[in-house]
Amino acid sequence: MNELDEIYANFVVELRRGITNLVVLNQCQQPTYGYQLVKELSESGIPLEANTVYPLLRRLEDQNLLRSDWDTSTDKPRKYYQITKKGRQLLARITSYWRESVKNIEIILEA
Amino acid sequence: MESNELIKRYIYAVTKHLPENKKQDVGRELESLIEETLAERSQDGQAADADTKAVLLELGRPAELAAKYDPHAKDALIGQPHFSVYLRVLKIVLLAVTLGMAIASLLEGVTGFEGNVFQFFASVLSNIWQGLLGAFAWVTIIFAVLYQKDVKLDFAAEDLDDLPAVPEKRQQIKLGDIVASFIFTILFLILFVVVPQVNFPFIWENSGLISIFNPELLINLRWLFIAAAAAAVLNQSIRYLTRRYTLPVFLTTLLEAILQLALLLTWFSTPNALNPAFIKLMNNFAPFMFLPANWAPLQWLPAALSRMPLLLLIIFGGVLLGLLIDLIESSLKTFWARKA
């Protein structure tokens, strides 16, 4: 990997750090489990590794932004996550911040 | 290794880093993730060992995965904001240790070091190195603990009104000046205290190396030399720490000047301050410069001065002038800064 690639890779990591939270919170408006989330996001062109998503779900739960329930009705037990009221409030704020930022950044980039 | 055993070991390796109340739940969830991934990858629903390995490799090293579960995980020994303070403190401490060890070693050399000059300098360097290693270790350990334990460092500048004023250009002390004085002080110590026999070497045809000053007298006066040098080092250290003219800078400059004057007066007013061999050699050229004499035109001077050989009187005058300029400069700048 040459130097530019390395700088680019670090840049992308920094950019994605915050976006990941937004995306995961958004997807949890419907009850969902980790593996499903990884697949959905990948199909939507936002590939996230399971080793990023799973710990993130757990941290969001610790912050009471998500809650979780084990579904043991099938032979494959899965842990489902769903957004809480606090999570919704945060999501609304982050979403509007995101839209505003993208709009402004677009304006700068186009100028 | 069998797939199931490998998975068990992997999950154990991850969860053993986690808090007790999370271990089981995270383990169960990871297990479900791995099983689901494997089920999808393997053709006939039967996971091959190679598939298991591939899936676990994608999840990454157990310790790294575990770290992602801990939002307060720290991947640095000393991070910000502690790191900036750490660097600042380290610089000062290392400088102080270097000065301190250098002085201590020189003192040790004066009070009796067995061996030649090279062995002596080797021991000085070794002492300084030991001191630096110790200081580095302690500062690092203390800051690592402070950072890891999240101890807030109380920076005085939290309140914007407490930020110190930017010193005006003429108030600032230049680093170059400090370094130059420091080197001069060290040279002074080496010449007159460490190797008094050599002191100020003078080479004349056929005469070999002759020291200008009387070595015996230098040895007798060594504590006065050391005191003057210590005052100079103290002054330079304070200048380095503050980098601007402040009251402590002025006071240590005054102390240094007083000690240097006392040293020069005691030293030069002694009749045999110059090396007799040197006087003998120079006598043919300009005897009035080197012989202790009562200077008829200078009778109004205190006896201690009028008895000095002219060479010493000139040096004394030069040093006195330098000290006065230095003192006036720092007092003016200090006063000006306090008024501002």
Side-chain angles (χ1 to χ4, degrees), chain B residues 3 20 25 32 46 60 80 108 111-112 114 123 146 239 250 276:
Chain B
S3 267
E20 219 45 57
D25 202 54
S32 131
Q46 228 14 34
Q80 291 291 10
E108 193 196 338
T111 50
E114 317 242 317
S123 94
L146 292 179
R239 282 171 186 245
F250 171 72

Side-chain angles (χ1 to χ4, degrees), chain B residues 202-280:
Chain B
F202 186 82
I203 303 170
W204 194 253
E205 38 186 321
N206 306 328
S207 72
L209 206 70
I210 285 185
S211 62
I212 293 181
F213 298 104
N214 187 345
E216 277 173 45
L217 187 60
L218 293 180
I219 294 170
N220 286 338
L221 290 178
R222 65 179 174 225
W223 290 110
L224 206 47
F225 276 98
I226 289 168
V233 170
L234 180 69
N235 184 4
Q236 287 144 25
S237 308
I238 291 179
R239 282 171 186 245
Y240 176 76
L241 290 180
T242 56
R243 295 297 296 277
R244 63 163 84 193
Y245 288 94
T246 57
L247 195 59
V249 169
F250 171 72
L251 289 178
T252 46
T253 307
L254 187 65
L255 176 72
E256 187 190 339
I258 290 171
L259 281 172
Q260 286 180 356
L261 270 185
L263 169 67
L264 276 185
L265 265 180
T266 319
W267 180 16
F268 284 6
S269 64
T270 311
N272 57 356
L274 288 172
N275 187 356
F278 175 71
I279 296 179
K280 207 172 142 208

Side-chain angles (χ1 to χ4, degrees), chain A residues 58-59 62 70 78-79, chain B residues 22 25 29 36 68:
Chain A
R58 193 55 71 136
R59 293 203 302 273
D62 286 344
W70 276 97
R78 286 164 177 162
K79 196 177 187 192
Chain B
K22 282 190 182 168
D25 202 54
E29 196 182 13
E36 202 133 3
K68 289 184 184 173

Side-chain angles (χ1 to χ4, degrees), chain B residues 172-229:
Chain B
Q172 292 170 1
I173 298 177
K174 290 194 198 80
L175 186 62
D177 291 349
I178 300 170
V179 172
S181 314
F182 181 68
I183 292 173
F184 182 80
T185 308
I186 294 292
L187 258 177
F188 173 86
L189 266 178
I190 290 175
L191 289 179
F192 294 114
V193 178
V194 181
V195 285
Q197 296 80 6
V198 183
N199 64 69
F200 223 82
F202 186 82
I203 303 170
W204 194 253
E205 38 186 321
N206 306 328
S207 72
L209 206 70
I210 285 185
S211 62
I212 293 181
F213 298 104
N214 187 345
E216 277 173 45
L217 187 60
L218 293 180
I219 294 170
N220 286 338
L221 290 178
R222 65 179 174 225
W223 290 110
L224 206 47
F225 276 98
I226 289 168

Side-chain angles (χ1 to χ4, degrees), chain B residues 5-250:
Chain B
E5 176 64 16
L6 190 59
I7 294 170
K8 244 167 79 183
R9 287 189 187 191
Y10 183 87
I11 290 173
Y12 174 75
V14 175
T15 53
K16 75 174 179 190
H17 295 285
L18 298 177
E20 219 45 57
N21 59 355
K22 282 190 182 168
K23 273 185 184 168
Q24 211 199 342
D25 202 54
V26 170
R28 214 170 138 204
E29 196 182 13
L30 281 179
E31 200 184 333
S32 131
L33 162 70
I34 295 166
E35 273 171 14
E36 202 133 3
T37 316
L38 279 175
E40 198 176 86
R41 297 223 182 146
S42 51
Q43 312 282 312
D44 50 359
Q46 228 14 34
D49 291 357
D51 292 330
T52 311
K53 276 189 182 155
V55 168
L56 296 183
L57 278 176
E58 277 169 34
L59 279 177
R61 293 166 189 242
E64 284 172 17
L65 183 54
K68 289 184 184 173
Y69 277 96
D70 181 4
H72 305 297
K74 289 184 168 154
D75 52 4
L77 183 64
I78 303 171
Q80 291 291 10
H82 296 67
F83 187 67
S84 305
V85 188
Y86 165 71
L87 279 188
R88 231 162 50 212
V89 170
L90 193 64
K91 246 158 79 180
I92 295 170
V93 169
L94 291 187
L95 185 83
V97 165
T98 308
L99 292 177
M101 292 309 284
I103 293 169
S105 312
L106 289 175
L107 285 179
E108 193 196 338
V110 176
T111 50
F113 179 83
E114 317 242 317
N116 62 32
V117 177
F118 292 107
Q119 286 168 329
F120 174 68
F121 278 108
S123 94
V124 171
L125 287 182
S126 143
N127 283 347
I128 292 177
W129 180 240
Q130 298 279 337
L132 288 178
L133 281 182
F136 179 78
W138 277 112
V139 175
T140 306
I141 289 169
I142 291 169
F143 271 88
V145 170
L146 292 179
Y147 174 68
Q148 298 292 332
K149 296 280 166 210
D150 269 327
V151 177
K152 293 265 178 298
L153 297 180
D154 196 14
F155 306 112
E158 285 286 301
D159 191 343
L160 287 180
D161 290 335
D162 292 341
L163 288 172
V166 178
E168 295 270 337
K169 202 126 208 153
R170 54 181 170 155
Q171 247 184 291
Q172 292 170 1
I173 298 177
K174 290 194 198 80
L175 186 62
D177 291 349
I178 300 170
V179 172
S181 314
F182 181 68
I183 292 173
F184 182 80
T185 308
I186 294 292
L187 258 177
F188 173 86
L189 266 178
I190 290 175
L191 289 179
F192 294 114
V193 178
V194 181
V195 285
Q197 296 80 6
V198 183
N199 64 69
F200 223 82
F202 186 82
I203 303 170
W204 194 253
E205 38 186 321
N206 306 328
S207 72
L209 206 70
I210 285 185
S211 62
I212 293 181
F213 298 104
N214 187 345
E216 277 173 45
L217 187 60
L218 293 180
I219 294 170
N220 286 338
L221 290 178
R222 65 179 174 225
W223 290 110
L224 206 47
F225 276 98
I226 289 168
V233 170
L234 180 69
N235 184 4
Q236 287 144 25
S237 308
I238 291 179
R239 282 171 186 245
Y240 176 76
L241 290 180
T242 56
R243 295 297 296 277
R244 63 163 84 193
Y245 288 94
T246 57
L247 195 59
V249 169
F250 171 72

